[in-house]
């Protein structure tokens, strides 16, 4: 069984790195890559110890079992040996020293990175049960889907993320980009990533934060420089309002929706829930729990419990016509 | 009358009316009866905790399953963790300690018999209080509900703002009450070992089990006290306007983590050191050899005890400590693998050159050695802080600590059951059923917990009531749940074996294993006074000396 497990570990590392979009053995960013290197070393040392000790155990079990033709006498009694004890104290100490040195080096490189002038600064704020992202230098606020530029080795543009929490403890974990770091209220933390390839990287909250901890999903879109800049431009625009959906806008702005949600350029300026100014630029709603399509959006507005039971958004008790109108309004927020 | 009741052997008391027997069990201060009550109590909670685990595994059998709601799932993992640690593992270890220590050191009872009974009932009421939350937590407002803040109950999720109602209070009070029970028992164990040893039994001639329980009891004193303090602080926060952990008023969530893990990590050793103790008794007897390197085993245990107080923050590598602090806790955590490795090598050296008898206790001991080795190696992986940034709070961690607790501690406990059941009941356990139990449980254990490492490596965090398809986690979760079936069958065979053997088993006699420590020199089950005359010992294996007068241990030790 365990042999199976070990070989599965190694196979996952070597031959099928994309078997899972969240495989820790398929790093695509420097912190994850440094950890991957260390993990191979630790795994190799562990495998060697495993083979040695299990070999000894198996040898004992086979060789020293009581035989059929036993003479019934007790075996020679051995009480100990200082030389042997010394050997299996000193050798493990040396192994520990080697593992410790390798580990300490990776801690230093990952935790104390050199800051460059073209670092993107982002603030991530954990909420029950969604992510708020603010780009203070770029004046962009968004939710749940993080966009960052790719960082090629010639022109590195690492992303530095300050991690805050609005309520309980959360943890930011996108396995292919970096190890996890917790978001703790009153205790600002940091992490950084420098993804080498464009694409979508998945993860999710890794610290139990309440009822819907399971559906607090993370999506990181790594884009080329041009795409990223275009995305920033779009996100900086205020909401594009259309008279055709004024009924939905009216309902939205005269119910409790605006206590929690912001649509920039309108009276809606709540901060308890995600910013909706560019809602339709996102692929998902409800922190990645459902695809962002009209049907799901309507279900979500009508009763969030059907998609994410325990989410803090209340059902607003709107009738069918009102739900349609609000959905239509939200669909214009591009 | 009082003198009569002291000399009554147990076999006569069984024929008395039920009410009398019940009265005797409830009012007893006898260490053997209290030990058995601890063990039975823990077995009942083991089944309850197992059912909770099964509910979780059914829910996780496939992605987006809706067997239970997220609220119920969150209560299940909170109750499962709390139950298994505080109301299964600790009481069962205290139970064996209570039962065996006076017998093994040649004493007639624990040092403080009344404190012993008081501690048991505190622990018992703690468990009832936790489960009373199912009825009482919401008080008059509606149906009850169980705690749902996780067994380490991180602040500020436990504050009134996020945990309304009373479920968290039941959790807090239950641990507070049972914590006092644990502290009482720890004091009692220390006093008993220090003051009650029979003539001739110097510290260096105690059975290893006594040494290991001494270290365990010391750790309980050091570890449970901060937990108790933290529970009181949490109560103050919730009801007296305190702000220890109230982050919205400047309190610190991280302080709770420190308080919890300065308890939580030594707690692991509180549970595994008695398991080491069982292995250190079983392996020599079934290899027919003296324990190899007794003084080194004692030294390694004491070293583990000290080191375990300095490693707690390896549970906190992801909370954003400085790189210096992380590096320190990497070193202290890795250092603990040295004395632990020494222990494994000494057990192997004890088997080396022996004549190994594969009776059920020895089968479980070998299972322990194999699984504890793997648990130790995955522990080394987790101790490398950067690797932990990936593995921490994932299913890899869940697999790792179940490898320690089930593969290590529970296997050692099963070995202890089969080894000492004849002493406690006077009857032998069935070897055939014992083998069925061993193999079913071994297969189930490996199906569940070997494969549980993999979703962790593939990014699956713990404590999620459901997961997304397409992450490569589905098949592994299915296999993990299938393993539960085998484990449950194994447990059923175990319980059946205990009951069947109690009523129908062969008569054991006082020394069925041809063993060497003092508990085997008295009848099975022992009389209330344990020994007719207090024994005098000259070596670590007094019965070896009796059986081999021409070649006694005391000539060589």
């Amino acid at each position: 069984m365990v042999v199976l497990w070990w070989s599965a570990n190694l196979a996952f590392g070597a031959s099928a790195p994309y078997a899972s979009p969240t495989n820790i053995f398929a790093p695509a960013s420097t912190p994850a890559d440094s950890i991957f290197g260390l993990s191979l070393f630790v795994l190799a040392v562990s495998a060697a110890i495993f083979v040695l000790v299990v070999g000894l155990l198996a040898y004992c079990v086979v060789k020293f079992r009581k035989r059929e033709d036993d003479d019934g006498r007790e075996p020679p009694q051995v009480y100990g040996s200082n030389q042997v004890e010394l050997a299996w104290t000193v050798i493990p100490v040396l192994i520990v020293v080697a593992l410790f040195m390798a580990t300490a080096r990776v801690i230093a490189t990952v935790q104390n990175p050199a800051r460059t002038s073209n670092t993107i600064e982002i603030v991530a704020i954990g909420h029950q049960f969604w992510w708020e992202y603010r780009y203070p230098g770029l004046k962009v606020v968004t939710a749940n889907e993080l966009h960052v530029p790719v960082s090629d080795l010639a022109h590195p543009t690492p992303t530095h993320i300050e991690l805050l929490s609005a309520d309980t403890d959360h943890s930011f974990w996108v396995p292919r980009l970096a190890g996890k770091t917790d978001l703790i209220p009153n205790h600002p933390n940091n992490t950084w990533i420098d993804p080498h390839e464009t694409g979508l990287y998945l993860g999710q909250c890794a610290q139990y934060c309440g009822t819907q901890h399971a559906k607090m999903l993370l999506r990181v879109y790594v884009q080329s420089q041009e795409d990223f800049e275009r995305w920033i431009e779009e996100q900086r625009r205020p909401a594009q309002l259309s008279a055709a959906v004024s009924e939905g806008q009216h309902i939205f702005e005269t119910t409790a929706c605006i206590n929690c949600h912001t649509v920039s350029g309108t009276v809606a300026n709540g901060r308890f829930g995600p910013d909706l100014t560019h809602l339709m630029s996102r692929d998902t709603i409800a922190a990645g729990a459902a695809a962002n399509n009209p049907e799901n959006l309507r279900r979500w507005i009508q009763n969030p419990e059907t998609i994410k039971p325990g989410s803090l958004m209340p059902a607003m008790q709107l009738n069918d016509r009102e739900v349609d109108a609000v959905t239509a309004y939200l669909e214009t927020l591009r | 009358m009082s003198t009569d009741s002291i000399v009554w052997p147990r076999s006569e008391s069984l024929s008395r009316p039920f009410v009398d027997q019940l009265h005797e069990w409830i009012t007893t201060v006898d260490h053997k009866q209290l030990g058995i009550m601890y063990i039975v109590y823990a077995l009942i909670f083991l089944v309850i905790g197992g059912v909770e685990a099964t509910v979780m595994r059914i829910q996780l059998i496939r992605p987006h399953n809706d067997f239970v709601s997220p609220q119920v799932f969150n209560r299940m993992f909170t109750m499962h963790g709390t139950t298994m640690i505080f109301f299964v593992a600790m009481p069962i270890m205290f139970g064996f300690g209570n039962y065996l220590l006076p017998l093994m050191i040649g004493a007639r009872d624990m040092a403080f018999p009344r404190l012993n009974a008081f501690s048991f009932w505190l622990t018992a009421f703690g468990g009832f209080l936790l489960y009373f939350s199912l009825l009482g937590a919401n008080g008059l407002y509606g149906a009850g509900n169980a705690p749902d803040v996780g067994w380490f109950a991180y602040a500020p999720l436990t504050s009134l703002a996020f945990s309304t109602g009373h479920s968290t209070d039941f959790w807090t009070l239950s641990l507070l009450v049972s914590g006092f029970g644990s502290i009482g028992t720890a004091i009692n164990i220390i006093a008993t070992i220090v003051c009650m040893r029979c003539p001739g039994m110097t510290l260096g001639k105690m059975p290893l089990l006594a040494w290991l329980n001494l270290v365990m009891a010391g750790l309980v004193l050091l570890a449970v006290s901060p937990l108790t303090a933290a529970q009181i602080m949490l109560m103050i926060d919730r009801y007296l306007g305190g702000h220890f952990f109230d982050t919205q008023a400047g309190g610190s969530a991280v302080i709770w983590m420190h308080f919890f893990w300065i308890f939580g990590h030594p707690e692991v050793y509180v549970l595994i050191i008695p398991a080491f103790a069982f292995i250190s008794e079983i392996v020599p007897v079934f290899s027919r050899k003296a324990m190899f390197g007794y003084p080194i085993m004692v030294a390694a245990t004491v070293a583990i005890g000290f080191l375990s107080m300095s490693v707690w923050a390896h549970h906190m590598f992801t909370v954003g400590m400085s790189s210096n602090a992380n590096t320190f806790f990497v070193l202290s955590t890795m250092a603990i693998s040295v004395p632990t490795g020494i222990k494994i090598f000494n057990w192997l050296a004890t088997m080396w050159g022996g004549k190994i008898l594969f009776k059920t206790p020895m089968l479980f001991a070998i299972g322990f050695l194999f699984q504890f080795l793997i648990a130790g190696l995955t522990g080394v992986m987790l101790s490398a802080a950067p690797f932990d940034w990936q593995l921490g709070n994932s299913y890899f961690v869940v697999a790792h600590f179940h490898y320690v607790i089930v593969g290590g501690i529970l296997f050692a406990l099963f070995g202890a059951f089969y080894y000492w059941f004849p002493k406690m009941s006077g009857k032998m356990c069935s070897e055939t059923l014992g083998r069925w139990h061993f193999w079913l449980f071994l297969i189930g254990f490996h199906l569940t917990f070997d494969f549980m490492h993999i979703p962790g490596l593939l990014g699956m965090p713990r404590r999620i009531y459901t997961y997304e398809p397409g992450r490569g986690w589905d098949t592994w979760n299915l296999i993990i749940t299938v393993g539960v079936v085998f484990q449950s069958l194994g447990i059923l065979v175990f319980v059946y074996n205990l009951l069947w053997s109690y009523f129908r088993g062969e008569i054991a006699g006082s020394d069925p294993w041809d063993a060497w420590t003092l508990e085997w020199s008295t009848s099975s089950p022992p009389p209330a006074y344990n020994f007719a005359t207090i024994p005098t010992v000259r070596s670590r294996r007094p019965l070896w000396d009796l059986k081999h007068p021409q070649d006694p241990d005391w000539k060589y030790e």
Side-chain angles (χ1 to χ4, degrees), chain A residues 1 5 9 20 22 24 64 66 70-71 73-75 77 79 85 111 169 173 175 180 182 186-187 189 206-208 212-213, chain B residues 148 155 247 251 288 290 293 318-319 321 323 326 346 353-356 389-390 392-393 450 453 457-458 463 465 471 541 553:
Chain A
M1 285 297 165
W5 169 61
N9 274 2
S20 160
T22 45
I24 68 166
F64 301 114
K66 193 177 183 186
D70 188 74
D71 57 8
R73 294 170 55 175
E74 300 282 19
Q77 301 295 306
Y79 298 92
E85 300 281 2
Q111 273 197 283
D169 304 332
W173 188 27
K180 62 183 74 63
D182 295 355
N186 241 359
H187 183 92
N189 276 338
Q207 183 60 271
Y208 179 60
Q212 266 300 347
H213 166 54
Chain B
D148 57 359
T247 49
R288 309 306 308 159
T318 64
V319 307
M321 293 187 296
S323 55
N326 280 336
N346 274 301
K355 292 180 177 176
I356 302 171
W389 295 336
Q390 289 285 19
N393 258 349
D450 292 8
H453 291 88
L457 298 173
L458 300 182
R463 297 177 159 181
Y465 76 96
R471 302 273 167 115
R541 297 192 297 171
D553 264 2

XYZ file of all heavy atoms in Angstrom, chain A residues 1 5 9 20 22 24 64 66 70-71 73-75 77 79 85 111 169 173 175 180 182 186-187 189 206-208 212-213, chain B residues 148 155 247 251 288 290 293 318-319 321 323 326 346 353-356 389-390 392-393 450 453 457-458 463 465 471 541 553:
505
model
N 0.828 -1.214 0.000
C 0.000 0.000 0.000
C 0.867 1.271 0.000
O 0.693 2.158 -0.813
C -0.852 0.029 1.283
C -2.009 -0.931 1.252
S -3.153 -0.505 -0.046
C -4.096 -1.998 -0.141
N 1.742 4.223 -2.584
C 1.594 5.647 -2.327
C 2.843 6.413 -2.734
O 2.778 7.457 -3.374
C 1.277 5.868 -0.846
C 1.370 7.296 -0.442
C 0.629 8.322 -0.936
C 2.291 7.856 0.467
N 1.029 9.495 -0.364
C 2.038 9.254 0.496
C 3.301 7.351 1.267
C 2.777 10.117 1.298
C 4.008 8.217 2.060
C 3.751 9.572 2.066
N 3.245 9.260 -5.536
C 3.848 10.585 -5.296
C 4.828 10.948 -6.384
O 4.791 12.036 -6.962
C 4.664 10.555 -3.997
C 3.799 10.823 -2.802
O 2.590 10.987 -2.963
N 4.396 10.866 -1.645
N -3.858 17.538 -12.080
C -4.739 18.370 -11.289
C -4.322 19.826 -11.478
O -3.129 20.125 -11.494
C -4.620 17.972 -9.821
O -5.091 19.024 -9.014
N -4.386 21.967 -9.373
C -3.900 22.487 -8.099
C -2.782 21.607 -7.551
O -2.568 21.549 -6.338
C -5.063 22.553 -7.090
O -5.805 21.336 -7.152
C -5.989 23.695 -7.383
N 0.659 20.521 -6.273
C 1.785 21.276 -5.720
C 3.095 20.893 -6.398
O 4.094 21.587 -6.258
C 1.930 21.082 -4.192
C 2.352 19.655 -3.849
C 0.669 21.444 -3.455
C 2.837 19.515 -2.419
N 13.719 -13.803 12.386
C 13.705 -14.136 13.815
C 12.352 -14.640 14.293
O 12.055 -14.574 15.473
C 14.173 -12.935 14.637
C 15.553 -12.481 14.279
C 15.776 -11.243 13.690
C 16.638 -13.321 14.507
C 17.047 -10.841 13.350
C 17.912 -12.915 14.160
C 18.129 -11.676 13.582
N 9.689 -17.398 15.446
C 9.910 -18.644 16.178
C 9.682 -19.821 15.238
O 8.664 -19.902 14.567
C 8.939 -18.727 17.365
C 9.302 -19.812 18.329
C 8.364 -19.817 19.517
C 8.806 -20.884 20.501
N 7.854 -21.017 21.601
N 11.597 -25.303 17.189
C 12.251 -24.556 18.256
C 12.549 -25.461 19.451
O 11.760 -26.350 19.804
C 11.332 -23.410 18.680
C 12.019 -22.492 19.637
O 12.886 -21.729 19.189
O 11.691 -22.534 20.846
N 13.701 -25.200 20.092
C 14.092 -26.046 21.212
C 13.434 -25.620 22.527
O 13.686 -26.220 23.571
C 15.622 -26.045 21.366
C 16.158 -24.634 21.538
O 15.334 -23.701 21.688
O 17.384 -24.449 21.511
N 13.977 -23.071 24.303
C 14.798 -22.275 25.211
C 14.702 -20.799 24.839
O 14.448 -20.442 23.695
C 16.251 -22.738 25.145
C 16.408 -24.151 25.685
C 17.764 -24.699 25.402
N 18.821 -23.830 25.905
C 20.114 -24.168 25.845
N 20.478 -25.309 25.304
N 21.030 -23.351 26.306
N 14.886 -19.947 25.834
C 14.838 -18.504 25.558
C 16.073 -18.112 24.748
O 17.146 -18.683 24.937
C 14.833 -17.721 26.876
C 13.656 -18.040 27.786
C 12.354 -17.368 27.373
O 12.241 -16.948 26.206
O 11.447 -17.270 28.209
N 15.942 -17.136 23.829
C 17.111 -16.691 23.052
C 18.096 -15.964 23.962
O 17.746 -15.572 25.077
C 16.503 -15.745 22.028
C 15.248 -15.254 22.654
C 14.738 -16.378 23.499
N 19.924 -13.211 25.891
C 19.425 -11.903 26.315
C 20.509 -10.840 26.094
O 21.621 -10.982 26.584
C 19.026 -11.962 27.789
C 17.951 -12.995 28.080
C 16.630 -12.660 27.396
O 16.103 -11.568 27.569
N 16.115 -13.580 26.593
N 21.235 -6.750 26.471
C 20.640 -5.624 27.198
C 20.893 -4.278 26.544
O 20.283 -3.285 26.898
C 21.135 -5.617 28.648
C 20.725 -6.869 29.383
C 21.556 -7.977 29.420
C 19.479 -6.949 29.976
C 21.159 -9.136 30.060
C 19.068 -8.113 30.611
C 19.917 -9.208 30.661
O 19.507 -10.342 31.272
N 24.068 2.358 19.975
C 23.198 3.496 20.297
C 23.814 4.805 19.804
O 23.120 5.667 19.260
C 22.976 3.593 21.819
C 22.330 2.379 22.443
C 20.821 2.325 22.227
O 20.269 3.209 21.569
O 20.202 1.364 22.731
N 10.781 34.038 1.985
C 10.189 35.038 2.874
C 10.787 36.428 2.729
O 10.152 37.411 3.105
C 10.302 34.581 4.333
C 9.122 33.712 4.742
C 9.000 33.614 6.250
O 9.740 32.882 6.876
N 8.065 34.349 6.833
N -10.369 34.142 10.239
C -9.121 33.742 9.584
C -9.423 33.073 8.241
O -10.357 32.293 8.119
C -8.366 32.736 10.458
C -8.100 33.275 11.850
O -8.001 34.508 11.984
O -7.993 32.476 12.798
N -4.293 30.297 -0.900
C -3.506 29.142 -1.371
C -3.802 28.837 -2.830
O -4.865 28.341 -3.163
C -3.806 27.912 -0.519
C -2.893 26.753 -0.811
C -1.624 26.799 -1.287
C -3.190 25.359 -0.643
N -1.102 25.533 -1.414
C -2.040 24.635 -1.025
C -4.301 24.653 -0.192
C -1.974 23.239 -0.985
C -4.239 23.272 -0.142
C -3.083 22.574 -0.533
N -1.852 26.587 -5.184
C -0.695 25.697 -5.028
C 0.366 25.836 -6.121
O 1.558 25.694 -5.831
C -1.323 24.293 -5.067
C -2.725 24.489 -4.640
C -3.123 25.850 -5.137
N 0.725 28.504 1.033
C -0.374 29.296 1.572
C 0.118 30.273 2.647
O 1.119 30.018 3.320
C -1.464 28.389 2.139
C -1.017 27.507 3.290
C -2.125 26.586 3.746
C -2.389 25.448 2.782
N -1.247 24.517 2.612
N -1.825 32.827 5.692
C -3.126 33.105 6.292
C -3.464 34.598 6.235
O -2.582 35.451 6.268
C -3.155 32.641 7.751
C -3.020 31.131 7.869
O -3.008 30.463 6.813
O -2.930 30.630 8.991
N -6.372 41.928 12.088
C -5.439 42.592 13.000
C -4.009 42.074 12.899
O -3.224 42.239 13.816
C -5.899 42.377 14.457
C -6.190 43.681 15.131
O -6.019 44.725 14.509
N -6.605 43.636 16.369
N -3.685 41.410 11.815
C -2.360 40.791 11.712
C -1.992 40.742 10.221
O -2.083 39.697 9.586
C -2.415 39.377 12.303
C -1.090 38.668 12.321
N -0.231 38.717 13.383
C -0.488 37.888 11.402
C 0.848 37.994 13.112
N 0.709 37.482 11.922
N -0.420 40.230 6.714
C 0.581 39.308 6.187
C 0.915 39.660 4.743
O 0.252 40.491 4.124
C 0.052 37.873 6.250
C 0.282 37.253 7.617
O 1.163 37.698 8.355
N -0.506 36.253 7.942
N -7.816 28.122 2.557
C -7.266 26.941 3.210
C -7.271 27.066 4.730
O -6.548 26.361 5.412
C -5.855 26.667 2.710
N -8.031 27.996 5.262
C -8.182 28.045 6.720
C -9.671 28.136 7.002
O -10.355 29.016 6.478
C -7.436 29.243 7.303
C -7.484 29.339 8.821
C -6.872 28.128 9.498
O -7.546 27.135 9.772
N -5.566 28.179 9.751
N -10.160 27.211 7.841
C -11.596 27.155 8.124
C -12.098 28.518 8.596
O -11.599 29.068 9.572
C -11.861 26.093 9.189
C -13.305 25.982 9.574
C -14.267 25.660 8.631
C -13.718 26.203 10.880
C -15.596 25.556 8.973
C -15.044 26.093 11.238
C -15.979 25.771 10.281
O -17.298 25.679 10.630
N -19.324 28.423 4.892
C -19.065 28.188 3.471
C -17.587 28.245 3.116
O -17.216 28.625 1.998
C -19.877 29.169 2.606
C -21.199 28.589 2.150
C -21.041 27.329 1.325
O -19.966 26.974 0.862
N -22.130 26.602 1.127
N -16.743 27.835 4.045
C -15.312 27.750 3.785
C -15.022 26.988 2.491
O -14.112 27.328 1.741
C -14.663 27.064 4.992
C -13.278 26.584 4.793
N -12.270 27.415 4.346
C -12.712 25.360 4.974
C -11.144 26.705 4.279
N -11.382 25.468 4.642
N -19.402 24.127 16.043
C -19.017 24.038 14.635
C -17.823 24.939 14.336
O -17.702 25.469 13.246
C -20.195 24.401 13.730
C -20.734 25.785 14.036
O -20.200 26.431 14.953
O -21.680 26.215 13.360
N -9.735 31.747 17.021
C -10.332 33.075 17.120
C -10.156 33.736 15.749
O -9.214 33.412 15.043
C -9.617 33.868 18.201
N -10.573 40.511 17.820
C -9.743 41.305 16.909
C -10.365 42.651 16.587
O -9.660 43.595 16.259
C -9.516 40.541 15.599
O -10.778 40.070 15.126
C -8.590 39.371 15.818
N -7.827 42.853 20.044
C -7.322 41.571 20.544
C -6.522 40.839 19.474
O -6.389 41.317 18.353
N 10.769 -12.521 23.136
C 11.447 -13.305 24.180
C 12.800 -12.729 24.525
O 13.759 -13.466 24.763
C 11.586 -14.790 23.764
C 10.310 -15.449 23.293
C 9.179 -15.337 24.258
N 9.492 -15.783 25.624
C 8.816 -15.417 26.699
N 7.818 -14.553 26.606
N 9.154 -15.865 27.874
N 15.042 -9.222 26.515
C 14.964 -8.007 27.321
C 14.941 -6.789 26.396
O 15.435 -6.840 25.279
C 16.175 -7.918 28.248
N 18.652 -1.544 25.269
C 18.986 -0.144 25.560
C 17.983 0.567 26.449
O 17.582 1.697 26.144
N 2.066 28.929 8.593
C 1.398 29.742 7.574
C 0.776 31.011 8.147
O 0.112 31.732 7.426
C 0.281 28.939 6.877
O -0.725 28.628 7.844
C 0.821 27.659 6.272
N 0.967 31.290 9.437
C 0.282 32.466 9.989
C 1.118 33.731 9.848
O 0.710 34.794 10.310
C -0.134 32.308 11.467
C -0.941 31.055 11.657
C 1.051 32.339 12.387
N 4.729 34.170 10.593
C 5.786 34.465 11.563
C 7.016 34.937 10.782
O 7.126 34.720 9.583
C 6.127 33.213 12.377
C 4.996 32.757 13.278
S 5.490 31.410 14.375
C 5.861 30.107 13.220
N 10.895 35.031 9.406
C 11.674 33.904 8.905
C 12.550 33.326 10.011
O 12.821 32.132 10.035
C 12.517 34.314 7.699
O 13.314 35.421 8.024
N 10.276 31.020 12.092
C 10.017 29.799 11.317
C 11.232 28.877 11.358
O 11.106 27.674 11.551
C 9.689 30.150 9.864
C 8.247 30.606 9.704
O 7.386 30.261 10.515
N 7.980 31.385 8.682
N 15.659 0.902 18.722
C 15.760 0.045 19.899
C 14.721 -1.074 19.883
O 15.002 -2.191 20.308
C 15.637 0.867 21.180
C 16.979 1.445 21.602
O 17.927 0.718 21.833
N 17.071 2.759 21.651
N 17.457 -11.135 16.746
C 18.017 -12.257 17.502
C 17.036 -12.906 18.454
O 17.403 -13.791 19.211
N 15.761 -12.462 18.420
C 14.767 -13.060 19.306
C 14.084 -14.246 18.654
O 14.484 -14.717 17.590
N 13.046 -14.743 19.345
C 12.193 -15.789 18.771
C 10.788 -15.214 18.770
O 10.061 -15.318 19.764
C 12.275 -17.061 19.606
C 13.634 -17.741 19.536
C 13.643 -18.995 20.387
C 15.004 -19.697 20.245
N 15.090 -20.872 21.133
N 10.435 -14.597 17.641
C 9.225 -13.773 17.637
C 7.977 -14.632 17.502
O 7.865 -15.452 16.595
C 9.277 -12.736 16.490
C 10.526 -11.863 16.647
C 8.028 -11.887 16.489
C 10.785 -10.958 15.468
N 4.144 25.072 3.910
C 3.304 26.125 3.307
C 2.408 25.531 2.229
O 1.329 26.050 1.967
C 4.194 27.231 2.714
C 4.983 27.963 3.754
C 4.680 28.088 5.080
C 6.233 28.641 3.573
N 5.658 28.810 5.726
C 6.616 29.172 4.819
C 7.055 28.879 2.468
C 7.788 29.905 5.007
C 8.220 29.613 2.640
C 8.583 30.123 3.903
N 2.867 24.470 1.584
C 1.994 23.777 0.633
C 1.106 22.746 1.336
O -0.081 22.662 1.066
C 2.823 23.052 -0.449
C 3.517 23.968 -1.448
C 2.575 24.579 -2.468
O 1.368 24.640 -2.289
N 3.136 25.078 -3.556
N 0.409 22.230 4.706
C -0.348 22.574 5.903
C -1.821 22.761 5.577
O -2.168 23.278 4.513
N -2.691 22.341 6.521
C -4.141 22.485 6.347
C -4.688 21.814 5.091
O -5.771 22.145 4.642
C -4.555 23.955 6.356
C -5.154 24.332 7.694
O -5.432 23.455 8.512
N -5.360 25.598 7.924
N -3.496 5.909 3.390
C -2.433 6.040 2.383
C -2.907 6.981 1.287
O -2.210 7.908 0.886
C -2.096 4.680 1.762
C -1.430 3.760 2.768
O -1.380 4.133 3.950
O -0.969 2.676 2.372
N -3.192 10.989 1.507
C -2.095 11.925 1.277
C -2.233 12.600 -0.092
O -1.840 13.752 -0.264
C -0.746 11.200 1.297
C -0.349 10.692 2.659
N -0.721 9.461 3.129
C 0.403 11.251 3.636
C -0.221 9.273 4.344
N 0.460 10.353 4.685
N -1.656 16.509 -1.709
C -0.597 16.928 -2.639
C -1.200 17.605 -3.864
O -0.539 18.397 -4.536
C 0.219 15.704 -3.080
C 0.955 14.962 -1.968
C 1.578 13.684 -2.502
C 2.032 15.850 -1.363
N -2.465 17.284 -4.146
C -3.125 17.887 -5.303
C -3.961 19.096 -4.900
O -4.857 19.507 -5.631
C -4.003 16.845 -6.005
C -3.247 15.620 -6.523
C -4.194 14.666 -7.239
C -2.120 16.023 -7.456
N -11.377 20.352 5.960
C -12.551 21.027 6.508
C -13.443 21.656 5.450
O -14.067 22.673 5.683
C -12.123 22.110 7.504
C -11.419 21.498 8.667
C -10.921 22.504 9.621
N -10.717 21.859 10.919
C -10.305 22.489 11.986
N -10.044 23.762 11.943
N -10.148 21.856 13.103
N -16.770 20.919 3.112
C -17.875 19.956 3.110
C -18.115 19.400 1.723
O -18.804 18.403 1.563
C -19.145 20.593 3.666
C -19.845 21.527 2.704
C -20.909 21.082 1.924
C -19.428 22.841 2.561
C -21.546 21.933 1.035
C -20.051 23.697 1.677
C -21.110 23.238 0.907
O -21.720 24.078 0.032
N -10.642 18.563 -10.234
C -9.392 18.883 -9.550
C -8.501 17.652 -9.413
O -7.457 17.715 -8.792
C -9.682 19.446 -8.150
C -10.549 20.681 -8.156
C -9.696 21.923 -8.323
N -10.505 23.076 -8.636
C -10.653 24.132 -7.851
N -10.056 24.158 -6.684
N -11.379 25.141 -8.229
N 12.972 -7.048 35.331
C 12.080 -8.143 34.964
C 11.993 -9.131 36.130
O 12.596 -10.213 36.085
C 12.590 -8.838 33.705
C 12.605 -7.920 32.484
C 12.832 -8.699 31.211
N 14.133 -9.363 31.188
C 14.510 -10.242 30.273
N 13.666 -10.575 29.297
N 15.711 -10.790 30.307
N 18.363 -11.385 35.727
C 18.693 -10.100 35.107
C 19.618 -9.241 35.969
O 20.467 -8.528 35.460
C 17.412 -9.299 34.863
C 16.902 -9.483 33.448
O 17.526 -10.259 32.698
O 15.896 -8.842 33.109
